Amino acid sequence: MYTRRILRRTRTGATLLAAALLVSGCSSGNATSSASSASSAAKEETAVLAPLPRSTPEALTPYYEQKPAWRDCGVPGFQCATLKAPLDYADPSAGDIRLALSRKKAEGPGERLGSLLVNPGGPGASAIDYLQSYAGIGYPKEVRARYDMVAVDPRGVARSEPVECLDGPEMDAYTQTDFTPDDEKEEGALVAAYRKFAEGCGADAPKLLRHVSTVEAARDMDIVRAALGDEKLNYVGASYGTLLGATYAGLFPDRTGRLVLDGALDPSLSARQLNIEQTAGFETAFTAFAQDCVRQSDCPLGDRNTSPGEAGRNLKEFFAKTDAQPVPTGDADGRQLTESLATIGVIAAMYDEGAWPLLRKALTAAMKENDGSGLLALSDSYYERDADGEYANLMFANAAVNCLDLPPAFDSPDQVGDALPDFEKASPVFGEGFAWSALNCTYWPVAATGEPQRIEAEGAAPIVVVGTTRDPATPYRWAQALAGQLAPARLLTYEGDGHTAYGRGSRCIDSAINTYLLDGTPPPDGKRCS
């Protein structure tokens, strides 16, 4: 579920299938930030995230009084530290977890503005990797001059007591499982794969698995804020990072500083609604890709006379062929390009239009030259599989957080079958796979502790919510919905392709966000950039 961005300077964002992320002009518009699809009745029925008391409970005081012991990270210019947080906020005596932090101190000149926390999404993406490989060196120099750039890997992620579920060979088998079953035997194999994945996660971290929710991660961020000596939290979150940031604002509105939520999620939706709306988002992105592809001489899906619908059918036909006969890849571990790996390879390139030429080349090789290595490489990038056949913990943490945050989308394979028409209507290309992938949380070893809820954050400082009109992974409607819920929100729109907008080439977007971060002046609500 959700998204993550790949094939850029770094990867960010949430994953639906895996656990199952130019110089532009701008203008100020009169668009409202309310979500047009949300009725008053629905608003009344959805719970609202309540803020926590302003005073710190006595049992948590030792956590809030910590001071990080910064040390060299081994990465030039960056320091690292660890902090403790309670495993269970309801029972702090039950033990601690260790949170890993990294920072790059403000470089000057100008008055220091405190710390700026960054999170790339996932859930499960490493904020520290993002900081050290991109944000700490690639954010605008004016921002880096006045903020200490800081990242904390959320609980269960990367360096913060990571959840582990399967080893490399087991993950290879998992990623090759057919997630569009054609008969009862294949359906049973898919269910068995989900069960094995879930059992592996439960065996690795039975206690931690009950305490990796977004609410708990947001509470951890408040401990980090206090340890850094900041009165308020300044934060840039992308993709799932928007849910984390919005949750913080809902819990601690009086401690919320300058928040940028880029590629926003709608916290009021159920798991099934999130999945089906994200399915439609990927169809929108594929349509844009197909329209561009058929204008290029190297497009394997058709020519200038080919409609996006026809291009999609051609792609589906290719997927069906790989299901019947996988494509050779030359992989050292003997993996061939199956339907599931081919589909993930295409999905991976939907996150960033800059990857479209690479996708055309990979599709051409697979469809016309019987060489699946390009699509396999895209799939491996999505899953964070390295050359040695080892996987980062992204997929494991992704499932752990998603399955705890919301009740499962489906209770049984039969429910998936009933929902297939809706998913295939949302995306003729990807709908079937997305529907079956939403079955993964059905077999999770611990029950969900969260529920769909509105986040209003009454009393918080202005929050900038950013949405991209053709974002595949976090559909634009979600940004409208979140901006409509957050009382202090300002909706900033990028009319374009790709997942998230800040730092992706739009001077209009970047200027609006930089001004907000540096001066505290948010863009006018409804501002649009193209």
Side-chain angles (χ1 to χ4, degrees):
M1 187 189 306
Y2 312 140
T3 66
R4 81 192 164 90
R5 227 175 343 182
I6 71 166
L7 304 172
R8 293 186 48 197
R9 293 159 291 202
T10 64
R11 287 174 292 213
T12 66
T15 312
L16 174 68
L17 289 169
L21 242 268
L22 297 170
V23 176
S24 302
C26 62
S27 63
S28 294
N30 296 317
T32 176
S33 63
S34 63
S36 59
S37 63
S39 66
S40 297
K43 290 180 181 179
E44 292 176 0
E45 293 172 359
T46 305
V48 176
L49 179 63
L52 291 169
R54 293 193 178 193
S55 59
T56 300
E58 183 177 350
L60 298 181
T61 299
Y63 297 103
Y64 275 82
E65 292 179 342
Q66 296 175 92
K67 300 298 178 186
W70 296 106
R71 63 186 185 280
D72 181 73
C73 279
V75 180
F78 292 90
Q79 298 173 305
C80 290
T82 58
L83 293 173
K84 292 181 180 180
L87 174 68
D88 183 356
Y89 277 92
D91 181 13
S93 65
D96 300 334
I97 63 170
R98 289 187 175 273
L99 304 174
L101 292 78
S102 183
R103 77 171 177 183
K104 187 175 186 184
K105 298 190 71 173
E107 300 168 346
E111 179 186 0
R112 184 181 176 278
L113 296 173
S115 305
L116 179 64
L117 269 69
V118 295
N119 183 282
S126 170
I128 291 177
D129 286 349
Y130 177 70
L131 175 74
Q132 295 178 354
S133 64
Y134 172 56
I137 56 178
Y139 265 36
K141 63 180 181 180
E142 298 88 348
V143 174
R144 291 183 284 115
R146 300 181 64 191
Y147 283 102
D148 287 349
M149 302 293 295
V150 179
V152 54
D153 281 345
R155 51 175 62 203
V157 174
R159 298 164 180 83
S160 294
E161 302 199 14
V163 174
E164 302 290 345
C165 304
L166 303 176
D167 63 22
E170 290 172 332
M171 270 299 288
D172 280 347
Y174 178 77
T175 61
Q176 294 175 75
T177 303
D178 188 350
F179 53 71
T180 56
D182 299 318
D183 52 39
E184 289 186 2
K185 181 178 179 181
E186 290 187 352
E187 183 180 303
L190 179 61
V191 169
Y194 285 146
R195 287 187 184 277
K196 182 175 182 178
F197 186 99
E199 289 168 0
C201 296
D204 174 73
K207 293 182 179 180
L208 178 61
L209 217 60
R210 291 173 168 79
H211 297 287
V212 292
S213 69
T214 298
V215 166
E216 288 163 310
R219 297 191 69 171
D220 292 344
M221 287 206 302
D222 198 50
I223 289 175
V224 172
R225 173 203 59 77
L228 294 171
D230 294 323
E231 291 186 8
K232 296 195 174 186
L233 181 82
N234 301 310
Y235 174 86
V236 177
S239 193
Y240 163 79
T242 67
L243 178 62
L244 186 57
T247 301
Y248 181 90
L251 295 173
F252 306 102
D254 58 308
R255 302 173 192 171
T256 297
R258 300 170 188 177
L259 261 62
V260 177
L261 308 179
D262 184 12
L265 274 74
D266 180 356
S268 71
L269 298 180
S270 68
R272 187 181 299 198
Q273 289 172 307
L274 284 166
N275 276 272
I276 200 165
E277 291 192 17
Q278 191 179 58
T279 301
F282 274 95
E283 184 68 21
T284 297
F286 176 77
T287 297
F289 163 73
Q291 290 171 335
D292 177 79
C293 183
V294 298
R295 292 196 294 266
Q296 313 301 323
S297 60
D298 62 343
C299 180
L301 300 178
D303 55 30
R304 290 180 178 270
N305 297 317
T306 305
S307 69
E310 291 172 321
R313 288 189 288 275
N314 292 338
L315 182 61
K316 284 281 288 182
E317 182 178 341
F318 165 67
F319 288 158
K321 288 180 179 178
T322 61
D323 188 29
Q325 182 60 56
V327 179
T329 65
D331 177 60
D333 294 314
R335 293 177 302 154
Q336 293 185 307
L337 185 71
T338 62
E339 180 186 15
S340 55
L341 292 173
T343 302
I344 290 295
V346 173
I347 286 171
M350 293 297 100
Y351 284 84
D352 186 349
E353 69 274 23
W356 290 355
L358 183 62
L359 177 59
R360 292 198 308 270
K361 182 178 179 180
L363 282 172
T364 298
M367 297 172 70
K368 299 183 179 298
E369 301 164 13
N370 203 37
D371 176 6
S373 59
L375 284 175
L376 182 63
L378 286 168
S379 176
D380 284 350
S381 176
Y382 184 89
Y383 283 121
E384 292 199 350
R385 181 190 193 270
D386 65 23
D388 295 326
E390 297 299 321
Y391 289 77
N393 100 302
L394 172 70
M395 297 296 109
F396 313 136
N398 183 273
V401 176
N402 286 331
C403 296
L404 199 61
D405 274 356
L406 291 172
F410 299 113
D411 293 331
S412 67
D414 287 343
Q415 286 191 355
V416 178
D418 292 341
L420 277 176
D422 290 336
F423 276 80
E424 291 180 318
K425 181 179 180 181
S427 174
V429 178
F430 304 117
E432 183 182 6
F434 274 40
W436 283 106
S437 295
L439 186 65
N440 70 307
C441 288
T442 304
Y443 308 102
W444 204 243
V446 298
T449 56
E451 63 179 349
Q453 57 190 346
R454 291 172 53 81
I455 301 178
E456 298 180 352
E458 290 279 358
I463 297 171
V464 176
V465 177
V466 188
T468 298
T469 55
R470 293 186 294 278
D471 190 317
T474 50
Y476 178 63
R477 195 206 70 75
W478 292 359
Q480 293 176 300
L482 181 60
Q485 294 168 38
L486 290 170
R490 307 291 179 90
L491 179 63
L492 175 62
T493 298
Y494 175 58
E495 297 177 344
D497 298 293
H499 180 41
T500 73
Y502 185 45
R504 301 190 72 244
S506 169
R507 290 182 179 176
C508 171
I509 292 290
D510 291 355
S511 176
I513 293 175
N514 292 342
T515 297
Y516 169 65
L517 291 175
L518 295 172
D519 300 339
T521 304
D525 188 32
K527 182 181 180 69
R528 303 182 76 87
C529 299
S530 61

